[in-house]
Structure formats: structure tokens, C-alpha cells
Amino acid sequence: KQEVTQIPAALSVPEGENLVLNCSFTDSAIYNLQWFRQDPGKGLTSLLLIQSSQREQTSGRLNASLDKSSGRSTLYIAASQPGDSATYLCAVRYGGSNYKLTFGKGTLLTVNP
Amino acid sequence: DTGVSQDPRHKITKRGQNVTFRCDPISEHNRLYWYRQTLGQGPEFLTYFQNEAQLEKSRLLSDRFSAERPKGSFSTLEIQRTEQGDSAMYLCASSFTANQDTQYFGPGTRLTVL
């Protein structure tokens, strides 16, 4: 079964700290992996997309890495801010003509001022 | 580019009633997806369209659910004879083949079945 797991389920850090969110997937034959942010009661905002041929992507203070052989991705957030508080979701598109995304349950991040 | 829009944003209905949700994708996007998200869970795939063709349906999509995208633009998701277990956030997303198929999500429709 193709599954996505995110650890930890919740994380609380002081403002300014660098942090890492983890995502693991069961099948290494992925097409791409996408990280999303979700604010309470809202839709999803795409943060970064990594193709299967890539090792990492960066956008501002965010850096996402992909290691297909170990079935892992990480989202690194530098110099965290209270505005970063949200749920972060990892989603995998498994290969070929399978266009749907398989999501983890998310990591709820709280950045304390 | 106004983003993906969904209507209504909130819907409260009584058990047994029918409800219909609408999704307007980003204008040039040829693929449209529906997902369902319950509290504390990640979104779960329901169905997707390429242009007007519905190409995949999840086993989660019982026969009470039907989705259409008649002209390859907006889409509707109808739930007949709603049950309390249908209470969830229904999310729509769209993507464009030439843009790595990055999926862009709408704000969702929150359904509460009493």
C-alpha cells in the first residue's frame, strides 16, 4: 500500500529557531513530492515541488530535500517566525499516469514569539 | 490568474438532503481534482478530470457521490442522501500539464451534516 507518514505530528519551537519536518513514503517509485502549508480552516498553499530526478528545492527560508532510495523528504525552515505557524503537509505523486496526490497527516507547527 | 475558487465555502444540511458544490479551476488548467479532508487527517483523493473526462475515481466515492466537468472548465460535486459521515472539508485542485502538474488548491467547502 502506498502511504505517506509525517513525523512529528506536532512541533512547538521558539521564534528564530531552525527546524526540520520529516516525511517518509513507502514506495520509492515516485513521480514528484510536494510540500503544502495549511492554515486552520483554510485550503492548501503549495510551498515546494520536487521532481523525482531532483535532490532539493529552495524558496526563501524553505528548503526541501528528497532521498528516494530511503523514502524520505525533509522540509527545512530557517529562522522560524510566528507567521510560520500552520500545518505542513507532505504529498507524493506516485509514478506514471497516476495523477492523484497521497498525503500524510501533517505536522502542526507552532512558533512562539 | 485568480486562483482556484469554490462555492459555497460552508454548507450545513440535514441528513438525507442532497448538496452540490462547485469548483472553478485556474483558467488554463486542464486537470481538476477533488479531495476530502476530515479533522486531523490529510486530504484523501476522490476523483480527477482531464478536460471533461473523469479518468479516475477513488473507492471512497460511493454511488451517492457524482462529479462532472461538462465543458472542461468548472466542476460540480454532488452528494445525494447525505450522511453524518460525509461531514468534511471538500477540496478542489487544478493543474496544468506543462507546469509540472503542480496542484493548486482552492479554499475548500466545509460540509456539516446534522
Side-chain angles (χ1 to χ4, degrees), chain A residues 31-32 34 36 38 41-44 46 49 51 89 93 97-101 103-105, chain B residues 31 33 35 37 40-43 45 48 50 56 89 91 100-103 105-107 110:
Chain A
Y31 185 82
N32 62 38
Q34 213 167 337
F36 293 89
Q38 186 173 33
K42 305 293 186 182
L44 280 63
S46 179
L49 180 146
Q51 297 291 358
L89 293 156
R93 177 182 161 186
S97 60
N98 185 348
Y99 298 106
K100 68 183 181 184
L101 295 177
F103 283 84
K105 293 184 178 181
Chain B
R31 294 194 175 121
Y33 313 79
Y35 292 84
Q37 185 179 26
Q41 303 295 314
F45 171 79
Y48 105 92
Q50 178 155 320
E56 186 175 350
M89 174 79 89
L91 294 162
Q100 301 181 334
D101 267 322
T102 303
Q103 293 189 23
F105 281 75
R110 169 76 64 188

Side-chain angles (χ1 to χ4, degrees), chain A residues 59-88:
Chain A
S59 176
R61 294 183 294 108
L62 305 180
N63 176 276
S65 68
L66 175 64
D67 183 345
K68 284 196 308 178
S69 61
S70 65
R72 295 181 186 275
S73 175
T74 60
L75 179 67
Y76 174 83
I77 303 177
S80 58
Q81 304 170 357
D84 295 331
S85 298
T87 295
Y88 290 81

